[in-house]
Amino acid sequence: MTYTITPIGTARSPYKQKFGIARQPGLVSAAEVCIELNPEFTADSVRGLEHFDYVWISFIFHGVLDEGWAQMVRPPRLGGKQKMGVFATRSPHRPNHLGLSLLKLERIETGKPVRLYCSGADLLDGTPIIDIKPYIPFVESKPDASSGFVSGKPEELEVVWLENIGAENLSESTQNLISQSIAQDPRPAYQDIPERIYVMNIADYEVRFQIEENRATVIDLSQPRFKSGKNPVLPHSS
């Protein structure tokens, strides 16, 4: 039997490409998204939701639809070297490419369209949203549950900014967003090349940085030139 799912809205996110998105929700508290509901949904559809602190967001991994899926994947938490069954991971390369994120609900605008603002997001800009549900702690919080091969929050990188690259012109919230996102170490798990320059398209900026050991250095900041969802990686230029 085949079922059809129609999106109820779209996520407007500071993450303009897949590279650099936090691998789990809640890791980058400064990442705020606006979930804009389709015109057919009015204020009635979210009545009462403002009394909840967190919401479950069901969505489609639209950025990887053309990449297919696999029975076994290589989770970054295992260094990209060990395979696990796809259903034992949160890989976007799933049979139906469905995702689920728990986000903090900051506020709701009940105009036309209805907009939900959430923080701690891990969504690509333009992500199709297929459902929203309130988070109920006494039912869904299981702090003593086993978490398999995922043992706690990943270690973060120290992030430093070179002088005279324009960082002083950024708002505090944008600086936090960029720093927190880079701190999650967006590199593929198998990649450790200090000379490599990485490019992240985020919050209307193109950010270049390098990583050596546990420190990431932001070396350049400019308006974005790359509009695709691909990750441009530049060779060392010096």
Side-chain angles (χ1 to χ4, degrees), residues 160-170 205 207-208 217-222:
V160 297
W161 296 65
L162 288 185
E163 296 181 359
N164 303 318
I165 62 171
E168 67 277 4
N169 298 321
L170 299 178
Y205 289 93
V207 183
R208 288 175 166 80
T217 302
V218 181
I219 63 174
D220 189 45
L221 182 70
S222 61

Side-chain angles (χ1 to χ4, degrees), residues 34-35 37 43 46 107-117:
C34 169
I35 296 175
L37 299 187
V46 294
R107 66 189 186 279
I108 301 174
E109 294 180 356
T110 55
K112 294 182 179 180
V114 173
R115 294 185 173 97
L116 282 66
Y117 292 86

Side-chain angles (χ1 to χ4, degrees), residues 120-199:
D122 59 343
L123 303 177
L124 179 65
D125 189 46
T127 293
I129 306 302
I130 60 174
D131 201 9
I132 299 168
K133 292 186 177 71
Y135 169 73
I136 304 175
F138 84 91
V139 173
E140 297 165 333
S141 178
K142 307 294 181 182
D144 298 326
S146 173
S147 58
F149 61 86
V150 183
S151 56
K153 185 179 178 181
E155 182 179 352
E156 295 185 354
L157 300 174
E158 175 190 2
V159 179
V160 297
W161 296 65
L162 288 185
E163 296 181 359
N164 303 318
I165 62 171
E168 67 277 4
N169 298 321
L170 299 178
S171 66
E172 182 180 357
S173 61
T174 298
Q175 284 197 44
N176 288 338
L177 170 64
I178 294 172
S179 291
Q180 290 179 21
S181 297
I182 294 175
Q184 299 304 316
D185 195 348
R187 296 175 298 174
Y190 56 82
Q191 197 168 97
D192 185 11
I193 306 173
E195 297 81 12
R196 179 156 292 190
I197 297 175
Y198 297 91
V199 182

